[in-house]
Amino acid sequence: MQKFKFFTLEFWLPKIPLLSLIFVFFLPFILININYDLGLFFIAFYIAYWTIRVFGSYHHIFKSYRRLLQIEKTDFSKNELIESGAKNLEHIVIVPIYTEPRNVIEDNVISLVQTEYRYRENITVLLATEARVPTATEHAKYIVEKYKNSGIRIINIVHPENLEGEGKVKGSNITYAIKEYEKMTKLDPKNTFVSTIDTDTKVEKKFFSIITATFLSTDYRSQAIYQYTPLYSNNWHEGTFFARIIAIGTTLWQFLESQNPEFYRNFAVYGQTLECLHKADYWSRTSIVEDGLQYWRAYFGWNGMFRIIPTPAICEMDLVDEVSVTRTVKSQYKQLRRWSWGCTDVEYVIPEMIKNKKIPFREKFRKTGYLILNHLFWAGGPLMMLFIGYVPGVIYSIDQSLAAFTVPIATSIIFTILVSTVIIPSLLSIHIMRRYVEFRWYNYIFNFFQWLALPFLTLTMFSIPALESQIRLFFNKRIDGFDTTQKMERKSKKS
């Protein structure tokens, strides 16, 4: 049977991301050899596509940010929808805990305790710790005891080691936590809203009000995941310039994607009903990217009648910060590699698309195509933009083709224009961060000029981890363990 493995879908699925990337890299060379004009058209189209996309993205980012500011001004204290519809709505927040310091965990719980919400008695926080890390359970027990009279329920659930069918991943921990809690109390799946947030998260005061108002005003409420707004502000000034750019870039990317509802995906901090969790068979117990995969699990559970709802509830988180710059670079790289490991979704999505007969073929084609292209551009888009203008010069000399001379110059000019637009996200990032972090005069200067490093980071810290993920997947060198980003002790704020 070994010789027939080359004819199986299982063999070729892991190869798709890297093979697609290689094909697109060589495509301009192939086209220009087949037909010179066709090759030039492809090069012009590719450059034009990214130029339009960059400028279009700024419009969508500003639109999302404007909505966030509007929600910030909204008074939910007398919201009729919450008053009348949320009395029987249970909120469960799962906080997976591993090796984080006690004051990081406690800051998370304090932020939840200090939220302003009409039905606080309906809030339960599950501190999901791992049996293999005894100190985490000690921290959780301390916090449970300290805040037992806070007005919300706080429960510690310890995830046992080496359960069958599980990996050492976040999804196995949070799945065990909610399943155990279901054994403790009777829950209405349609009126139980389950949020999962990282340990370093500090939620805003209107967190539950924003979620509840969004949830109650949504049709087919269970057929959705509600994506919150991640903002890496907790240790903003302590972080390195590249960690800050990656962190705020993640927030801006969420703003952008929220304006593209068909292809929007959940990330890091989000919520869904217990009914939706049942449809998805909870979370993946083996994948290190359980958040992105959760969309697909729920999508197929609901036979394609599913979407992501942007929910502008701010979740302040930590950017990557280690004890030295070298360790910070290494941890940041591993985090980006973990995120880009979502390229493995093709192994789950394509077979499910084939099996499911209720999803229209056109939608299957669009969704699968976008999934592949998204990871293709993540790994190779910036690199291809860098060299594509020189393709005519590689095939033809300047004497043979005027394009061999003019295309690289035109590409260089366009690339320079695109790079100069970093002034837009640099100013926007300052406007966003100063609302959550104290800025002094020198912070404005440094936070503005740090964006000059964006082109270099795009070609290195963004592209290379994604490229490694696809190479690993191709050769079956899998990342099975969750590399937890080290969290530093919280620094006490000066008065």
Side-chain angles (χ1 to χ4, degrees), residues 406-438:
T406 57
V407 172
I409 295 175
T411 304
S412 178
I413 293 171
I414 293 171
F415 195 72
T416 302
I417 293 171
L418 293 180
V419 169
S420 68
T421 65
V422 298
I423 191 173
I424 298 173
S426 66
L427 292 174
L428 181 59
S429 67
I430 291 172
H431 191 272
I432 294 171
M433 296 310 302
R434 70 177 184 178
R435 304 176 70 85
Y436 301 92
V437 180
E438 182 183 354

Side-chain angles (χ1 to χ4, degrees), residues 41-186:
F41 175 80
F42 176 80
I43 294 171
F45 175 81
Y46 188 86
I47 296 170
Y49 169 80
W50 280 105
T51 303
I52 294 170
R53 185 167 180 176
V54 166
F55 284 100
S57 67
Y58 295 142
H59 166 73
H60 294 306
I61 289 170
F62 277 111
K63 190 175 179 181
S64 291
Y65 184 47
R66 190 163 57 245
R67 181 176 180 238
L68 184 71
L69 294 177
Q70 290 171 347
I71 291 293
E72 195 176 80
K73 297 175 183 177
T74 304
D75 181 10
F76 290 96
S77 61
K78 297 180 180 179
N79 185 285
E80 293 182 6
L81 195 59
I82 295 175
E83 289 284 334
S84 60
K87 188 175 182 180
N88 297 317
L89 179 64
E90 293 285 335
H91 275 284
I92 299 173
V93 181
I94 307 177
V95 183
I97 300 171
Y98 191 51
T99 58
E100 294 81 6
R102 179 189 290 177
N103 62 358
V104 171
I105 306 167
E106 190 168 5
D107 276 0
N108 178 304
V109 173
I110 290 172
S111 73
L112 291 165
V113 167
Q114 293 179 344
T115 51
E116 300 168 352
Y117 183 59
R118 171 70 177 81
Y119 300 105
R120 289 173 53 81
E121 66 276 10
N122 292 349
I123 299 173
T124 302
V125 178
L126 303 182
L127 301 180
T129 57
E130 294 282 1
R132 64 180 184 271
V133 187
T135 53
T137 303
E138 292 173 12
H139 294 336
K141 287 180 178 178
Y142 169 84
I143 291 168
V144 169
E145 178 63 25
K146 184 174 180 179
Y147 296 96
K148 63 183 179 181
N149 297 318
S150 63
I152 66 175
R153 292 183 295 278
I154 305 174
I155 300 170
N156 174 218
I157 296 179
V158 183
H159 178 222
E161 291 187 76
N162 304 319
L163 293 180
E164 187 179 352
E166 290 189 353
K168 294 181 179 180
V169 296
K170 176 179 169 183
S172 60
N173 186 5
I174 56 182
T175 295
Y176 182 84
I178 189 63
K179 281 186 171 183
E180 287 300 299
Y181 186 65
E182 284 184 271
K183 296 175 184 177
M184 298 178 190
T185 185
K186 186 176 181 181

